Amino acid sequence: MGVVARDVMQSPVISISPETPLSDVHRTFIDEEIHGAPVVSEEGAMLGAITLTDLVRAALDATESAAFSSEYLRELFEFSGPDWQGGPADFQDRLQQITAAEVMTPGPASVDGGAPVGEVAKLMHEGRIHRVWVTERGALAGVISSFDLLPLIVRAGF
């Protein structure tokens, strides 16, 4: 039998609660040196995935919408607040208010632990994604990133 997902997956997987503020997600990514994590309910159900790209997108949205609303309000009222562009503290406060559930990608790509790695690679290629979550009997068991597949390609002589 060929190489399957459970043979190349990384485990254990660091997961994020849906209620986790984005600033805490960012800190987890830095501390754990990861670029993405599954968003998992208290019951262990995988609800979605959140990546560094999601964080950047959310931060850009927060600054753009805050700039619009503060400029708009400033024209209507003499005293309008808060000014999100006023400094890093305001921005950090905003990132504490946004949760992982609000910016995650629902229904992340996953495969069973027995899936052939060719199927995993095809899923990554067609979905233009960098990681696939591995499940065993319906429970999250690991993750395969595109970097986990590189040694297989090197060994195959490509």
Side-chain angles (χ1 to χ4, degrees):
M1 177 155 188
V3 180
V4 296
R6 77 174 62 86
D7 296 333
V8 296
M9 72 180 188
Q10 300 296 313
S11 185
V13 177
I14 295 161
S15 62
I16 303 291
S17 164
E19 297 83 25
T20 305
L22 291 191
S23 55
D24 293 351
V25 172
H26 182 245
R27 173 56 44 205
T28 299
F29 283 9
I30 290 170
D31 291 347
E32 300 296 335
E33 298 179 347
I34 59 175
H35 297 124
V39 178
V40 179
S41 72
E42 284 186 28
E43 298 78 29
M46 192 166 49
L47 306 173
I50 187 165
T51 66
L52 191 55
T53 302
D54 296 322
L55 293 180
V56 169
R57 196 173 292 129
L60 289 173
D61 289 348
T63 56
E64 288 172 6
S65 65
F68 168 77
S69 62
S70 63
E71 287 173 20
Y72 176 75
L73 290 173
R74 208 174 274 117
E75 291 175 9
L76 293 178
F77 304 106
E78 185 176 341
F79 300 103
S80 67
D83 184 356
W84 299 116
Q85 292 186 339
D90 289 334
F91 184 68
Q92 286 299 320
D93 288 345
R94 179 68 182 127
L95 292 184
Q96 270 300 119
Q97 297 170 4
I98 304 170
T99 65
E102 293 176 66
V103 300
M104 72 178 188
T105 301
S110 65
V111 296
D112 182 75
V117 293
E119 180 183 320
V120 174
K122 183 178 179 183
L123 184 61
M124 287 179 172
H125 176 71
E126 290 176 353
R128 301 180 56 87
I129 55 177
H130 298 281
R131 68 192 55 78
V132 172
W133 308 102
V134 181
T135 59
E136 293 281 358
R137 295 181 226 37
L140 182 63
V143 61
I144 299 173
S145 78
S146 48
F147 291 109
D148 296 321
L149 298 180
L150 290 177
L152 298 174
I153 296 168
V154 171
R155 278 196 299 255
F158 287 104

